[in-house]
Amino acid sequence: MNPVLWIGEQSISIVETLGQFTLVLGRSFTGLFTGVWSRSDFSEQLERIGVSSVLMVAITSGFMGMVMAVQTLDQFVRFGATGYIGGVIALSMVREMSPVLTGLVVSGRVGAAMAAEIGSMKVSEQLDALRTFGLDEVVFVSCPRIMAGIVMLPVLTIFSFIVGIGGGFLYVAAHGVNPFLFKQSMEALMEPYDLLGGLLKALVFGLLITVSACSQGFAAEKGARGVGSATTRAVVWGNMLILVFNYILSTLLFGGIKG
Amino acid sequence: MSPILTMENVCVSFASRRVLDKVYFDLRAGEISCLLGPSGCGKTTTLKVVAGLLRPEEGVVRLFNRSVTAATPEQELVGIRKEMGVVFQGGALFDSMTVGQNVAFPLLYCRDVRDPLKIDRAVVDMLQHVELGDIRNMYPAELSGGMRKRVAIARALVHKPSLLLFDEPTTGLDPITARHMDQLVLDLCRKFNVAVLVVTHDLVSALGIADRLLLMEKGRIAWRGAKDEWSGSSSPAVREFAEGMVSIGAGEEVSP
């Protein structure tokens, strides 16, 4: 393929996707206060995003905490800094690993399912049916999902903090590090601001994942293939946005050298 | 009696292709009109324009004494849409809801009925009208094609709309179920005294239920008349469509 043509097509596709994202975000935001959406659907989405993701979040976070302990323990023992290991693991989990891991898990699991569900609703004319009842289909479908994402991502992230730090603690404790030192270093290095920063990231990721999934679902083309590619795009865009915004938020919240 | 629906020279284009070209007809209360035509002639597009899912590019749609043009704001269409019921080709039932929740949906969102007892009574009553038992707790995925269409009819009628739109009500049904569906549509429309526009390519069905027939060809109304006038019509469009149906029917009979 002609590389100029390819770059052009990709650029148009990116602009289109960002445009759809902005439209869904804008309509949902205004619809949240003025439009009609189902509160019972919101509870259902809370369960879908939250309860059904708990096990995956627990597994990924627990093992990530242990891997971090594996990677840091030897270095810290060599430099005689065993007393800091708990704080470093906890800080890494709270500021970075937990929000990002939880975001990626939810994006892969829930974002994909959301895009597929909305795409199928479009193909089977369920979105048209909503409009014939005088409803704004974007508001009715997106608002409960976006709200549930914003609420549940921070909750899952707190769960991920606990399991991840627990995993790291188990590994270092099994290798002879004093549990009291682990706890003491956590208290010394961590501040409430770190926890708030991590939760703010999770909230933003919840918004990004659900808006991306909804916008891809609404943009799905007719047919099974259209729904399939919308699902793929939802996951790809969800993951990309999480990583890009993680950098931006990390820089804004924790960046620079603090004397 | 003034018409409930009037289409006045409605035109719609997709990209540069004109899909509807100066379509005009009207529909009165209690009347059943069938919009016939081959695939791709613009029948479903016409239905979508009436339902407010597509805007007329040119011309006017008058519904319940209100005009819809290309410039009509979305907010104005909301009130109009709540006065009609649409039965989509595949039913378009909400998969995540039970049959009961599907049928109750228009009561909640078009009529703002909040009393659970009242809603429950209306749902059971409507399911009986469409000859379904108490299947309130079943999900659409558990139903047959014919049952899904009946639930869709119940959902479209439960809030007592003034206009009912059907998109290919007999498509995908076996001939016996299709004729049964025709009878059900006819009975319900008489019972609820609702104006009905049926989009179909099933001539047998159209001749069975319609008061008036409209034949579409290449985005235009090629013929219109009472159903008694159909067989005696000398219109080439009518002959071509009827002969096409006969040859398809014959082909179906001889095919293994």
Side-chain angles (χ1 to χ4, degrees):
Chain A
M1 184 191 254
N2 181 342
V4 178
L5 195 69
W6 185 83
I7 291 168
E9 279 176 0
Q10 294 304 310
S11 308
I12 290 169
S13 166
I14 289 169
V15 171
E16 266 179 5
T17 305
L18 292 175
Q20 284 155 5
F21 185 95
T22 313
L23 278 175
V24 170
L25 181 63
R27 268 170 84 173
S28 304
F29 184 74
T30 49
L32 191 64
F33 306 104
T34 58
V36 179
W37 51 281
S38 161
R39 271 65 179 167
S40 64
D41 194 17
F42 170 60
S43 330
E44 199 181 313
Q45 296 303 325
L46 283 178
E47 192 191 328
R48 273 197 203 175
I49 296 175
V51 178
S52 54
S53 303
V54 162
L55 186 64
M56 278 181 77
V57 168
I59 292 169
T60 49
S61 304
F63 279 99
M64 185 49 73
M66 285 195 267
V67 165
M68 284 178 59
V70 170
Q71 294 294 341
T72 49
L73 181 65
D74 181 46
Q75 308 295 326
F76 275 56
V77 169
R78 203 180 296 172
F79 288 104
T82 320
Y84 290 105
I85 196 161
V88 169
I89 290 174
L91 262 186
S92 310
M93 286 307 294
V94 168
R95 284 182 171 192
E96 299 293 333
M97 301 310 293
S98 284
V100 171
L101 269 179
T102 308
L104 293 176
V105 165
V106 172
S107 169
R109 217 194 133 276
V110 182
M114 237 177 232
E117 186 189 10
I118 297 172
S120 303
M121 286 177 79
K122 184 179 178 185
V123 170
S124 60
E125 295 182 304
Q126 291 175 53
L127 297 180
D128 282 343
L130 284 173
R131 287 181 69 197
T132 63
F133 295 124
L135 298 167
D136 181 332
E137 76 279 18
V138 173
V139 172
F140 192 83
V141 173
S142 300
C143 279
R145 285 161 177 77
I146 294 171
M147 286 297 291
I150 289 173
V151 171
M152 280 323 289
L153 257 285
V155 174
L156 284 170
T157 301
I158 292 173
F159 179 68
S160 168
F161 293 161
I162 297 165
V163 177
I165 293 168
F169 171 77
L170 283 179
Y171 182 84
V172 296
H175 286 79
V177 174
N178 185 345
F180 176 73
L181 271 182
F182 190 94
K183 182 172 164 280
Q184 202 179 37
S185 73
M186 269 176 61
E187 286 168 357
L189 290 182
M190 272 183 63
E191 290 170 19
Y193 179 79
D194 297 315
L195 185 67
L196 286 176
L199 291 179
L200 178 68
K201 279 184 172 185
L203 189 146
V204 173
F205 296 162
L207 178 81
L208 294 172
I209 293 163
T210 48
V211 174
S212 166
C214 291
S215 63
Q216 291 299 340
F218 286 118
E221 283 164 25
K222 297 250 170 176
R225 200 173 170 179
V227 176
S229 54
T231 308
T232 308
R233 281 199 309 272
V235 177
V236 170
W237 272 93
N239 291 355
M240 276 198 314
L241 288 169
I242 287 170
L243 296 174
V244 170
F245 273 79
N246 184 50
Y247 169 73
I248 295 169
L249 289 170
S250 288
T251 311
L252 291 174
L253 294 167
F254 309 117
I257 300 164
K258 294 177 180 74
Chain B
M1 195 192 304
S2 64
I4 278 183
L5 160 69
T6 310
M7 300 271 279
E8 289 174 12
N9 295 324
V10 169
C11 300
V12 172
S13 301
F14 293 147
S16 57
R17 197 168 71 89
R18 183 146 277 201
V19 184
L20 295 187
D21 190 11
K22 296 187 174 153
V23 171
Y24 67 97
F25 64 87
D26 58 30
L27 187 63
R28 285 158 208 282
E31 187 180 59
I32 303 178
S33 278
C34 279
L35 196 54
L36 279 162
S39 298
C41 69
K43 304 186 297 288
T44 301
T45 306
T46 306
L47 186 113
K48 286 189 172 177
V49 171
V50 176
L53 299 173
L54 286 174
R55 300 294 178 86
E57 200 175 270
E58 288 170 35
V60 185
V61 182
R62 291 190 207 287
L63 275 159
F64 319 116
N65 297 321
R66 284 177 276 186
S67 299
V68 178
T69 64
T72 306
E74 183 70 17
Q75 204 51 41
E76 269 185 45
L77 286 176
V78 170
I80 295 175
R81 287 188 192 126
K82 288 181 178 181
E83 294 308 318
M84 60 175 95
V86 185
V87 180
F88 289 89
Q89 194 171 340
L93 298 178
F94 304 124
D95 294 329
S96 58
M97 296 181 194
T98 62
V99 167
Q101 288 167 331
N102 264 285
V103 179
F105 198 87
L107 292 173
L108 285 166
Y109 294 104
C110 297
R111 295 289 178 264
D112 207 24
V113 181
R114 298 286 150 189
D115 180 359
L117 274 176
K118 215 171 170 180
I119 291 174
D120 213 37
R121 263 203 307 272
V123 169
V124 172
D125 188 42
M126 215 51 237
L127 287 174
Q128 277 170 358
H129 275 304
V130 295
E131 298 165 11
L132 290 170
D134 190 2
I135 55 163
R136 278 174 294 172
N137 296 323
M138 288 176 82
Y139 280 88
E142 299 171 277
L143 306 177
S144 68
M147 287 168 90
R148 287 171 75 96
K149 290 216 172 171
R150 284 190 219 187
V151 174
I153 295 173
R155 187 179 69 175
L157 267 174
V158 73
H159 60 300
K160 310 274 189 295
S162 309
L163 172 64
L164 197 53
L165 309 173
F166 284 91
D167 189 11
E168 308 276 9
T170 56
T171 297
L173 301 179
D174 65 79
I176 296 169
T177 314
R179 296 297 76 83
H180 195 77
M181 184 63 70
D182 289 342
Q183 194 55 49
L184 183 70
V185 170
L186 198 58
D187 291 345
L188 287 172
C189 299
R190 298 292 180 239
K191 199 180 286 178
F192 288 87
N193 191 34
V194 61
V196 180
L197 179 66
V198 181
V199 160
T200 183
H201 57 246
D202 182 350
L203 184 57
V204 180
S205 171
L207 289 171
I209 61 174
D211 299 315
R212 271 204 302 166
L213 295 170
L214 303 155
L215 178 63
M216 278 193 91
E217 202 180 58
K218 293 174 187 162
R220 284 174 159 261
I221 303 285
W223 183 87
R224 71 189 69 220
K227 72 172 169 187
D228 306 333
E229 294 165 14
W230 175 270
S231 54
S233 170
S234 58
S235 157
V238 170
R239 275 212 308 274
E240 196 182 326
F241 185 72
E243 280 164 15
M245 293 303 291
V246 169
S247 67
I248 290 167
E252 280 171 358
E253 276 173 29
V254 294
S255 63

